[in-house]
Amino acid sequence: MIPLEAGRAPVDLYGWKAHMLAEATALEGVQVPVASVLAVDDAIPSPTALRDLLAQHQVINAGCRRNLVAIRSSGLTEGSPSLAASGANLSVLGDLDLKEIRQAIRSVREGSKTGRTGVIVQVLATPLLAGVATTADPISFKKGRILVDFVRNKLADGLLSGKEPGERLIFEGTSSVDGDQDAPIGPAARDSLLGMLTSLEKHFNQPLEVEWVLAADGKMMTVQVRPLVLPAPGAYTLNELKDFAILPDITKGHSKIELRRRAAEIGVRMSPARVDVATDSGVTVESKDDAPPSSWSAGLSVVLLYPPRVDSQIVRKFSPSSNYDVELLIKECQRYAIRSYPTHHDVGATRRQVLRQGLTDYWVSSAITQEVLDATATGIVKRISSGFLVELAVGHFVPKGSVRTSSYLLDKRMRVTGRLLNDQERAFRFLDGHVVEESPLAEAFSPSDDVLTELVAYLSPLLTEDSISLEFGLLFEGDMFVSYLIDVAEFAGDIVSDSDITTGVLSRGRASGRVVVLNEDDNAMLRGHLHDLDRSNGAVRDTVFVAKRASIDLFSLINSLTAESNCGFAFSDATFLGHPAVILRERGVPALVLPDAHVTLRAGIKVNLDTATSGLNREQRITEG
């Protein structure tokens, strides 16, 4: 049995709790109650020897018959980075005599539910406040989100066991989420507690669960320290349905993973993929090698799954899968121009960069690496009131509104009932992780009725709700087309009718105001318009924006508007199922597709936009006045 001191309690001899508490004794701003530790394999000392050791270590006063002590387990697995086991083993707290202390040591050791264990005998402080705190959110693992639960004038064993309620404080850094961080525990206790938690987390370089006591003498004491158990770092290949069962919980609920699971369940094709999980606690894992690229491979996409966004943005990077010279390949063809280069030439470096971005504000991150396929065409399919709507274009990026699409209507029996064909001026393709623009197109693409029917029949089992849209691709193999699933989008209440499509109603509503014409290729012009618009209480109002197409370049503007803004849009071209259109409908901002609107509607004139009234043709929906 040794005194609890830094450097004297290795894990393999004394267990995790003793080891971490011993380390904490040497930290600035951290006070730990005096304690003795019995090694995992040491025999319990005789009564005389136990009394002498505890007195020597100042855990008890040998002149007193009874002493306030806490006897706790310190196992080789409990309280480790992989197993919290909080509350699994017996603890004995109270005013005990030597015989009772010795019996408690025996009971704690023999009653262990987590295997071999050392035993801590610790001075039990008389509390003003006692509780438990986590240095990160225990569910999301968000850094700096500190949760504190505590009780007053009693020990926290009832709180920790869930038998007694307590009070809760939540801090983001040093600021209380509830605003007044001083009132519940006072500024001095708050500062001591937060300082102690910060020092502990910095030393151990991982999120922690800390049991603490504010003693009657005003000292803030660390009673126990254990890691918050993070998902294990690793790489998971998603080849079969059984692969999804072993994914960490932080990834299982993501829409991309759930879509892949459902697709695997019903036999819908998707591109090859793997998921990687990383932590910011210094624990690494040897990564699996990536699978060889398929014959359709056009590069790799690495998307951050968890956290889902960094600074409100989805993190997505592209990487080569074959590392051939794309610039040399397209050098002699003036129809092609590289619009985006891969972040790295190595997918491993790309993946590490994406995972590191996720670890900026969270202790754990996860990313999915998916093969980008060389699709002849991609598009979106959705259920509508009369059956199905398919919007399709050569190349990629249909959901972003970056390319002109053609629309195809199918009835509920999946028969083609209408085609709204548009000339596509440009397409975006992937060549080994490079985004390449093709303009003009070498040849147009219009799928046959049979291809459209087979496509919708293939994907329809996943179209279980009217709010779901599926992004798909078509691969040319021999003289046949092969369909595959790319992604899913789900927006509650996003309903599109065939009459909306034929009359150009992108989003229903009414607006009036002066026309502002937006140049899609001039972000500076867009920013200039935003500074010069009529704003009330800081919001854009009473404006009808006119643009060549509904593209993601307009996201910031669209997201600043609501149905009450009295603003709307007229587009020369738009994809009804693309992200901009969906968000316009979600926010209740009216929008109309009017061919050549960016040419015929003059900047500065006042117009009325009506996409809510039934029975109007396109020209009647936007009038001067």
Side-chain angles (χ1 to χ4, degrees):
M1 180 173 271
I2 63 168
L4 188 73
E5 294 175 353
R8 294 197 60 187
V11 171
D12 58 336
L13 297 180
Y14 294 93
W16 277 98
K17 288 184 186 177
H19 171 72
M20 296 188 75
L21 273 179
E23 291 294 303
T25 61
L27 302 182
E28 184 178 352
V30 178
Q31 297 187 70
V32 178
V34 174
S36 298
V37 186
L38 182 66
V40 171
D41 295 323
D42 281 358
I44 301 174
S46 66
T48 301
L50 180 62
R51 180 197 63 203
D52 292 344
L53 285 168
L54 294 178
Q56 180 184 339
H57 300 162
Q58 300 182 359
V59 176
I60 66 169
N61 184 337
C64 296
R65 182 172 173 273
R66 309 184 74 85
N67 288 269
L68 287 170
V69 291
I71 296 95
R72 297 186 174 95
S73 61
S74 177
L76 298 178
T77 57
E78 67 163 329
S80 70
S82 59
L83 179 67
S86 179
N89 291 334
L90 175 69
S91 294
V92 180
L93 294 76
D95 190 12
L96 308 179
D97 62 24
L98 188 63
K99 181 179 179 180
E100 290 168 332
I101 293 173
R102 198 165 183 271
Q103 180 57 48
I105 294 173
R106 180 177 291 107
S107 298
V108 166
R109 172 174 278 178
E110 293 177 354
S112 173
K113 298 177 182 178
T114 55
R116 295 159 58 217
T117 183
V119 180
I120 302 169
V121 182
Q122 188 178 57
V123 171
L124 184 62
T126 302
L128 293 175
L129 303 173
V132 62
T134 56
T135 64
D137 190 300
I139 304 300
S140 69
F141 305 113
K142 189 176 190 301
K143 295 178 180 178
R145 185 174 175 84
I146 298 171
L147 276 62
V148 180
D149 293 292
F150 65 97
V151 292
R152 300 176 185 272
N153 302 310
K154 65 171 75 171
L155 298 172
D157 49 327
L159 172 70
L160 295 169
S161 67
K163 295 178 180 178
E164 294 182 15
E167 300 178 56
R168 167 164 285 192
L169 292 173
I170 302 176
F171 295 92
E172 295 282 358
T174 58
S175 299
S176 170
V177 171
D178 297 327
D180 184 2
Q181 66 266 43
D182 292 347
I185 63 174
R190 178 206 71 214
D191 291 346
S192 294
L193 178 60
L194 295 180
M196 176 186 74
L197 296 173
T198 300
S199 183
L200 288 166
E201 185 181 72
K202 182 179 179 180
H203 175 77
F204 290 110
N205 190 35
Q206 58 190 312
L208 303 169
E209 183 179 70
V210 181
E211 292 182 30
W212 58 274
V213 169
L214 178 63
D217 59 5
K219 292 180 180 179
M220 182 66 68
M221 311 290 286
T222 297
V223 176
Q224 288 198 79
V225 184
R226 50 185 165 264
L228 281 179
V229 178
L230 300 173
Y236 305 83
T237 303
L238 303 182
N239 289 329
E240 303 176 43
L241 184 59
K242 63 181 178 61
D243 296 334
F244 293 85
I246 61 174
L247 287 174
D249 289 341
I250 61 162
T251 63
K252 282 183 180 177
H254 195 282
S255 60
K256 288 183 180 296
I257 298 301
E258 179 58 21
L259 176 69
R260 282 186 168 273
R261 189 195 64 77
R262 285 280 294 122
E265 196 172 55
I266 62 178
V268 170
R269 182 183 298 104
M270 294 192 76
S271 67
R274 61 176 269 176
V275 168
D276 287 82
V277 176
T279 67
D280 199 21
S281 60
V283 180
T284 59
V285 66
E286 196 65 34
S287 189
K288 290 183 180 179
D289 291 334
D290 288 277
S294 70
S295 59
W296 284 313
S297 180
L300 296 164
S301 165
V302 183
V303 181
L304 189 67
L305 296 178
Y306 192 85
R309 283 175 169 79
V310 175
D311 295 330
S312 303
Q313 299 293 316
I314 293 173
V315 179
R316 179 185 287 107
K317 307 288 182 185
F318 296 107
S319 177
S321 56
S322 302
N323 275 314
Y324 58 81
D325 193 333
V326 174
E327 289 184 325
L328 181 63
L329 181 69
I330 68 171
K331 184 177 180 181
E332 302 302 323
C333 185
Q334 295 185 358
R335 291 186 297 107
Y336 291 98
I338 297 175
R339 295 303 183 206
S340 175
Y341 287 82
T343 308
H344 300 280
H345 290 292
D346 169 49
V347 67
T350 304
R351 195 156 41 226
R352 287 190 293 273
Q353 179 182 351
V354 170
L355 289 167
R356 279 197 300 269
Q357 285 186 253
L359 294 173
T360 302
D361 294 315
Y362 289 79
W363 281 101
V364 62
S365 69
S366 176
I368 184 169
T369 303
Q370 305 171 100
E371 198 168 61
V372 180
L373 303 185
D374 185 20
T376 299
T378 62
I380 310 171
V381 59
K382 177 182 175 64
R383 286 187 186 272
I384 60 174
S385 56
S386 60
F388 300 89
L389 169 63
V390 176
E391 292 190 299
L392 185 144
V394 173
H396 289 261
F397 296 142
V398 169
K400 299 182 184 302
S402 302
V403 294
R404 199 173 192 194
T405 59
S406 293
S407 301
Y408 306 89
L409 296 169
L410 290 81
D411 62 20
K412 293 181 180 179
R413 297 176 64 184
M414 304 178 197
R415 298 173 301 189
V416 178
T417 59
R419 291 169 173 260
L420 303 174
L421 304 180
N422 289 309
D423 293 330
Q424 189 177 341
E425 312 101 335
R426 62 178 181 172
F428 292 98
R429 301 183 182 277
F430 282 94
L431 291 178
D432 202 28
H434 299 66
V435 178
V436 176
E437 180 180 349
E438 179 188 2
S439 180
L441 270 63
E443 58 180 307
F445 173 73
S446 182
S448 67
D449 286 4
D450 287 345
V451 168
L452 290 167
T453 296
E454 289 175 13
L455 167 74
V456 174
Y458 185 59
L459 298 177
S460 61
L462 291 167
L463 291 168
T464 54
E465 304 288 342
D466 290 344
S467 59
I468 293 176
S469 298
L470 298 177
E471 183 184 1
F472 64 87
L474 290 172
L475 301 164
F476 193 68
E477 184 177 50
D479 58 352
M480 298 180 61
F481 280 99
V482 176
S483 306
Y484 72 98
L485 183 60
I486 299 175
D487 206 348
V488 65
E490 186 170 358
F491 296 88
D494 184 37
I495 306 299
V496 180
S497 70
D498 51 355
S499 63
D500 290 339
I501 298 161
T502 55
T503 60
V505 175
L506 198 65
S507 176
R508 293 185 174 274
R510 295 182 178 88
S512 60
R514 67 187 181 96
V515 168
V516 170
V517 179
L518 302 174
N519 184 334
E520 65 170 344
D521 297 320
D522 191 345
N523 289 329
M525 180 179 290
L526 176 57
R527 289 193 296 271
H529 284 312
L530 292 176
H531 282 295
D532 192 38
L533 293 174
D534 181 11
R535 293 169 178 260
S536 300
N537 297 322
V540 179
R541 294 191 56 81
D542 308 328
T543 305
V544 175
F545 297 97
V546 177
K548 187 175 181 180
R549 60 171 51 88
S551 73
I552 60 170
D553 296 332
L554 301 175
F555 266 12
S556 60
L557 174 57
I558 293 172
N559 281 319
S560 71
L561 305 176
T562 66
E564 289 72 39
S565 301
N566 194 32
C567 291
F569 287 84
F571 299 108
S572 298
D573 180 57
T575 300
F576 276 78
L577 302 182
H579 298 330
V582 171
I583 294 173
L584 283 165
R585 291 192 289 270
E586 188 180 51
R587 300 186 71 81
V589 177
L592 176 70
V593 180
L594 184 66
D596 297 322
H598 69 293
V599 176
T600 59
L601 293 175
R602 303 186 315 277
I605 65 172
K606 290 190 175 181
V607 297
N608 299 307
L609 176 64
D610 182 358
T611 55
T613 302
S614 300
L616 301 179
N617 61 36
R618 293 180 195 246
E619 288 70 22
Q620 292 171 327
R621 292 191 181 280
I622 188 162
T623 57
E624 288 193 45

